[in-house]
Amino acid sequence: MSETIGVFEVEDRTFPPPPEFAAQALTNDQGLYEEAAADFEAFWARQARELVTWNKDFDTTLEWELPFAKWFVGGELNITANCLDRHIEAGRGDKVAYHWEGEPGDTRTITYAELLVEVCKFANVLKGLGLEKGDRVAIYMPMILELPIAMLACARIGVAHSVIFGGFSADAIVDRCDDAQARLIITADGGYRKGAAAPLKPTVDDALASGASSVENVIVANRCDLDPNMVDGRDHWWHDVMADASPDCPAEPMDAEQLLYILYTSGTTAKPKGIMHTTGGYLTQVAFTHKYVFDIKPETDIYWCAADIGWVTGHSYIVYGPLANGVTSVMYEGTPDTPGKDRLWDIVERYKVTQLYTAPTAIRMFMKWGAQEPASHDLSSLRVLGTVGEPINPEAWMWYHDHIGGSARPIVDTWWQTETGGHMITPLPGVTTTKPGSACTTIPGVFAELVDDDGESVSNGGGYLTITKPWPSMLRGIWGDPQRYQDTYWSRFEGKYFAGDGAKLDDDGYLWLLGRVDDVMNVSGHRISTTEVESALVDHSSVAEAAVVGGTDDVTGQAIIGYVILRGGNEPSEALGDEIREHVGVKLGKIARPKTVIIVPDLPKTRSGKIMRRLLRDVADGRQLGDTTTLADPGVVAEIAERAADSDED
Ligand code: WTA
């Protein structure tokens, strides 16, 4: 197995579904699993017909020409009609879609009927700017209601959205707009974070000053009264363009395989991949998983996914899944420690949240802040707790279970990826006996296999995680690069989708995810490519060469550690190290800024010139160094270790 797969700890505590929960759950037996195992296409066809409203029924469930899938072929639907119109037509228009809460404490509640009006108006605004089915639009926004409105307006008329997380840099915006040839950017003046207004529009201005020449217009929502620079003819205020927009925009039926969105994610090279998702299969799987994994009862539940819509979790489980299922959601703009470290628990108590979906990194932060924070709030409304984004360590799982779940709520640890579109491996809360730290088993209709280096099946022990059959919400490819799609996901193991994760299978057939086996780091549940950070480091004029590794971090899971060699004529100094760090922040965005930059005289390389990242990781984690005899210059590691130890003392 790959060296990056850590030591597997045996965890034998088990938690069957609480009987009173199982008794009321949407599903509490093996029925769905058995049905899907017998005929997975028939299973998904049934889900598609049950959970989705089609304008025209599909003829073929799946067309599979490895690795290209088409689901629900011949079917026609409009995803926003599924998320909005059909609930209103069924008399549920007055139901709240989102209880939105701004970080400063301002609130806005929007019903399904009101949301439809906003979406239709904004869709007409898009049409007015000349956007047509098949075009691409970039969205760079804070967590305000205009963000789902913008996404849904695009979807209503068949324009693909490409949401760019608000923490990304101007360069990242340029890359993504250039790649997708986006014609419009939808943004805001700023958003509230950590008690202050954080500007966004200037970053868009910087991007447009340096590239993104396909962008013709910019629409700016006013969130913070920051009075941004508005370029005549190019920039338009959201409230101005919406003022006279017609609320009449019938939902046009789309082909099941109509491109719904592109979402860029980091891979093992410097260039992010534009992951493509289409309409019918995506909606089917996100609606199915949202409903059954969270045991959604739309009549009574108040569901809250505390992620950012800039990531896939927000796309599938703040926007499309919850709206398709007609539930009321909470949406929160800001950070969990503003104004106090109990902000989340205060929100859970006030809105009587029934499902909470967050990330292990957040849970570890809450652990650090202390159990007194949740203890000062009434969290008894909670029914299901979810986690996503990275492996959850058993300690964090137990803390979540005890201190948030009152030792009585099922936890669903959901493994999936931007590429998979929806949940793949997770317990079902009324069915599965959980084990702290295990994502348990594949959902009904999804099939996984662990394999070794040669692609041979591993029935017990560690291996590479692969998916063996197509699934409805699978990526349809990489925008503009079908070859890369084939190479990245379908070439390592013949006929199987290689997820890039290592996992271990226990005697009960439970999967334990162990993290990435490629050069992708997972920092606070966000995927960051080592190569991308390395290119940003060498982009600094003083840096000759760089190597980046993910060190271990108690809270963020991994932390970015950059080792750099300076160009001749530069003296190592703390100030220069900081400057280089900041440079990465500017190039890629704050989330990719290394925690530490260590200036080294040389990097440990094999005789064939490959950087030995394993050694650098060991150094970063302060571990005993293993065998260094394959190095071209074994002496170099000792010196690096010394420098790293110095930088720790700072
Ligand atoms: C990791 C986020 C362990 C994994 C939805 C995967 C997880 C990558 C889990 C995808 C989990 C996500 N347990 N690891 N429950 N969920 N991961 O594309 O390494 O941002 O490959 O999608 O996160 O990250 P992405």
Side-chain angles (χ1 to χ4, degrees):
M1 270 314 299
S2 161
E3 65 201 25
T4 53
I5 292 186
V7 182
F8 177 67
E9 287 167 38
V10 180
E11 167 62 60
D12 47 20
R13 284 171 285 197
T14 55
F15 294 85
E20 57 292 0
F21 183 91
Q24 61 77 61
L26 292 175
T27 176
N28 57 14
D29 60 21
Q30 294 296 316
L32 290 172
Y33 292 96
E34 284 162 10
E35 179 192 348
D39 184 343
F40 84 109
E41 288 189 34
F43 168 79
W44 283 120
R46 181 172 81 81
Q47 296 306 332
R49 292 198 174 100
E50 229 173 81
L51 299 171
V52 174
T53 304
W54 300 82
N55 296 87
K56 179 172 168 284
D57 192 18
F58 49 90
D59 324 302
T60 310
T61 301
L62 170 66
E63 264 178 35
W64 179 224
E65 277 177 46
L66 192 120
F68 297 98
K70 284 187 184 157
W71 281 88
F72 311 125
V73 182
E76 287 180 5
L77 74 162
N78 184 292
I79 196 166
T80 68
N82 275 274
C83 290
L84 303 169
D85 308 59
R86 64 169 172 168
H87 304 314
I88 297 157
E89 284 155 17
R92 296 191 296 269
D94 291 339
K95 190 169 179 60
V96 172
Y98 293 109
H99 286 295
W100 176 85
E101 182 156 313
E103 196 189 74
D106 49 334
T107 59
R108 193 175 158 194
T109 287
I110 192 163
T111 65
Y112 276 87
E114 289 163 347
L115 186 56
L116 176 64
V117 170
E118 297 302 304
V119 167
C120 287
K121 284 171 72 177
F122 200 67
N124 282 325
V125 167
L126 297 175
K127 283 187 189 167
L129 290 173
L131 287 153
E132 290 174 0
K133 189 167 162 179
D135 283 341
R136 279 83 51 207
V137 159
I139 303 181
Y140 184 70
M141 290 185 109
M143 283 287 286
I144 55 178
L145 284 175
E146 285 79 0
L147 170 51
I149 292 168
M151 293 163 75
L152 293 162
C154 289
R156 192 154 187 93
I157 60 170
V159 165
H161 53 74
S162 161
V163 178
I164 304 170
F165 174 61
F168 277 126
S169 65
D171 280 3
I173 297 175
V174 173
D175 289 348
R176 286 157 174 76
C177 287
D178 281 349
D179 189 69
Q181 290 292 292
R183 292 184 60 196
L184 167 74
I185 300 182
I186 305 165
T187 186
D189 59 339
Y192 288 96
R193 289 197 71 74
K194 294 195 183 294
L200 279 178
K201 173 68 166 47
T203 314
V204 172
D205 292 336
D206 288 350
L208 291 175
S210 67
S213 55
S214 59
V215 175
E216 300 153 17
N217 290 286
V218 179
I219 296 179
V220 188
N222 184 32
R223 165 66 182 134
C224 309
D225 289 328
L226 291 177
D227 195 19
N229 173 43
M230 296 289 281
V231 175
D232 240 9
R234 186 195 75 184
D235 300 352
H236 318 271
W237 282 112
W238 177 287
H239 51 261
D240 286 345
V241 290
M242 285 289 266
D244 308 317
S246 155
D248 184 26
C249 180
E252 188 194 329
M254 307 277 165
D255 189 273
E257 285 295 339
Q258 173 70 33
L259 181 65
L260 174 63
Y261 67 79
I262 302 173
L263 184 59
Y264 285 84
T265 185
S266 289
T268 53
T269 68
K271 192 177 178 301
K273 299 176 290 216
I275 303 300
M276 297 196 286
H277 283 293
T278 60
T279 305
Y282 175 79
L283 183 63
T284 299
Q285 193 164 338
V286 300
F288 171 77
T289 49
H290 178 257
K291 177 172 172 170
Y292 288 102
V293 172
F294 296 113
D295 192 51
I296 294 292
K297 311 276 168 52
E299 303 75 30
T300 45
D301 278 341
I302 307 286
Y303 161 88
W304 183 20
C305 167
D308 191 295
I309 295 178
W311 309 105
V312 74
T313 302
H315 282 60
S316 301
Y317 298 106
I318 297 179
V319 182
Y320 293 110
L323 293 178
N325 288 328
V327 72
T328 296
S329 294
V330 170
M331 177 173 162
Y332 172 57
E333 176 187 34
T335 43
D337 54 352
T338 307
K341 291 187 165 63
D342 63 342
R343 183 63 185 265
L344 260 56
W345 319 125
D346 177 48
I347 293 177
V348 169
E349 179 173 9
R350 275 189 289 114
Y351 293 96
K352 301 199 168 29
V353 170
T354 45
Q355 288 90 354
L356 176 68
Y357 193 26
T358 185
T361 196
I363 297 165
R364 290 191 293 264
M365 203 163 58
F366 302 142
M367 287 171 75
K368 256 179 121 164
W369 292 345
Q372 76 285 354
E373 301 293 346
S376 62
H377 292 277
D378 177 6
L379 307 182
S380 59
S381 56
L382 288 168
R383 302 202 298 115
V384 182
L385 304 177
T387 144
V388 59
E390 55 188 314
I392 182 163
N393 47 312
E395 297 70 32
W397 196 102
M398 285 307 302
W399 192 90
Y400 201 26
H401 179 258
D402 291 339
H403 295 284
I404 308 304
S407 307
R409 313 288 188 281
I411 293 183
V412 289
D413 172 7
T414 61
W415 179 91
W416 59 296
Q417 307 178 296
T418 306
E419 291 87 340
T420 70
H423 298 158
M424 300 291 277
I425 303 173
T426 171
L428 294 183
V431 181
T432 316
T433 292
T434 54
K435 303 185 187 187
S438 169
C440 301
T441 59
T442 50
I443 60 164
V446 167
F447 303 89
E449 187 183 4
L450 291 192
V451 297
D452 64 17
D453 276 307
D454 302 322
E456 295 298 326
S457 183
V458 175
S459 56
N460 187 310
Y464 300 106
L465 176 65
T466 66
I467 308 294
T468 55
K469 285 188 168 69
W471 62 100
S473 63
M474 66 189 280
L475 75 165
R476 297 303 194 263
I478 296 175
W479 176 261
D481 203 345
Q483 190 58 47
R484 191 172 175 203
Y485 168 62
Q486 176 118 26
D487 294 347
T488 309
Y489 304 107
W490 299 94
S491 299
R492 179 78 174 81
F493 304 108
E494 207 189 326
K496 294 178 183 132
Y497 171 86
F498 174 43
D501 280 39
K504 171 117 182 164
L505 196 62
D506 72 15
D507 293 338
D508 299 325
Y510 278 45
L511 287 158
W512 299 75
L513 278 306
L514 299 170
R516 305 286 307 188
V517 294
D518 52 16
D519 290 332
V520 176
M521 296 172 285
N522 191 325
V523 182
S524 301
H526 301 146
R527 275 162 73 171
I528 297 167
S529 147
T530 52
T531 329
E532 226 176 315
V533 179
E534 283 168 6
S535 348
L537 285 169
V538 296
D539 183 77
H540 188 279
S541 59
S542 309
V543 176
E545 207 180 336
V548 167
V549 297
T552 312
D553 187 283
D554 286 350
V555 174
T556 59
Q558 284 190 307
I560 307 174
I561 313 291
Y563 295 87
V564 300
I565 303 177
L566 297 180
R567 284 171 192 262
N570 290 288
E571 283 306 311
S573 70
E574 206 176 302
L576 182 56
D578 285 344
E579 187 188 311
I580 296 170
R581 248 184 98 236
E582 288 307 321
H583 183 74
V584 179
V586 172
K587 287 296 290 179
L588 299 177
K590 280 201 184 113
I591 53 160
R593 192 172 54 188
K595 183 178 171 199
T596 317
V597 165
I598 303 168
I599 299 173
V600 294
D602 208 346
L603 288 167
K605 290 187 185 150
T606 61
R607 290 186 193 108
S608 60
K610 233 176 150 283
I611 294 174
M612 295 274 284
R613 287 204 171 70
R614 177 178 57 81
L615 284 176
L616 292 174
R617 260 195 304 272
D618 287 347
V619 170
D621 292 347
R623 268 196 295 270
Q624 280 290 323
L625 300 182
D627 184 11
T628 56
T629 50
T630 53
L631 288 179
D633 174 5
V636 74
V637 186
E639 197 161 337
I640 291 174
E642 238 167 74
R643 297 271 181 110
D646 284 352
S647 84
D648 274 354
E649 284 159 21
D650 294 343

